[in-house]
Amino acid sequence: MARILVLNGPNLARLGEREPELYGLRDLASIEAELRMLAASRGHELFAFQSEEEAALVGEVWKAKRAGTGLILLNPAAFTHTSIALRDALAGSRLPFIEVHLSNPHRREPFRRRSLFSDLALGVVAGFGPASYRLALEAGCAWLEDERTPSRLHR
Ligand code: DQA
């Protein structure tokens, strides 16, 4: 059994009302509830945290480290493109994480094409709306359960 953290950055608490054509109609609480159930069905415990603030997200990464977290599903939102502080927390803690996006940043404005996280991530799931989180959790569970997956060998 592993402890899994779903970590969401700014404006993601507004899912459902925020640009639904890009991000879908589901709210964050319902996505988190689905993920919690899915994780439990695989024998894992899932916690969720969202903040508008970089410092709070950095703090949560180090808290997750102390708690023995096995995997983070991370949607840094706008911080994807800007936050060296959050990147440093992920790199410094060495916590394995999957980068998640509801939209496909590569189909959008050029400034969204650069992620400060992708090169550290086990993998990236983007473009499938709320299903991106579910797909990332599926991949994460497979990774947790199988020591021999290539991404683990590369770390
Ligand atoms: C996002 C993509 C980011 O570029 C944007 O700033 C977000 C959401 C996504 O999930 O598609 O807030 O991370």
Side-chain angles (χ1 to χ4, degrees):
M1 182 191 121
R3 189 184 171 98
I4 299 172
L5 173 67
V6 181
L7 192 57
N8 277 299
N11 299 304
L12 292 172
R14 301 291 174 186
L15 288 182
E17 61 176 293
R18 175 191 180 203
E19 297 173 278
E21 66 288 355
L22 279 175
Y23 300 120
L25 286 166
R26 280 183 66 188
D27 66 18
L28 187 58
S30 103
I31 295 170
E32 289 171 350
E34 181 192 357
L35 296 174
R36 209 170 284 118
M37 266 178 40
L38 274 171
S41 75
R42 305 285 287 256
H44 303 300
E45 198 175 8
L46 186 135
F47 299 84
F49 183 84
Q50 185 277 335
S51 180
E52 312 295 344
E53 291 172 15
E54 193 175 32
L57 295 165
V58 167
E60 197 63 22
V61 169
W62 290 106
K63 197 173 135 197
K65 172 80 173 172
R66 287 194 299 276
T69 300
L71 178 72
I72 298 180
L73 304 186
L74 173 69
N75 185 348
F79 291 146
T80 305
H81 321 295
T82 61
S83 181
I84 296 172
L86 188 54
R87 176 195 164 89
D88 284 352
L90 269 310
S93 67
R94 295 194 191 277
L95 283 172
F97 71 96
I98 298 176
E99 182 181 340
V100 181
H101 299 284
L102 295 125
S103 67
N104 177 355
H106 298 280
R107 292 184 68 175
R108 301 179 61 191
E109 303 94 323
F111 66 82
R112 295 186 200 275
R113 291 191 193 134
R114 183 183 75 146
S115 165
L116 294 175
F117 297 87
S118 302
D119 64 311
L120 294 177
L122 293 173
V124 182
V125 182
F128 298 101
S132 289
Y133 289 94
R134 181 165 40 77
L135 295 167
L137 181 60
E138 279 294 329
C141 287
W143 179 82
L144 284 166
E145 289 154 19
D146 183 0
E147 299 275 326
R148 292 159 302 167
T149 50
S151 50
R152 177 164 283 198
L153 290 178
H154 286 141
R155 284 183 76 83

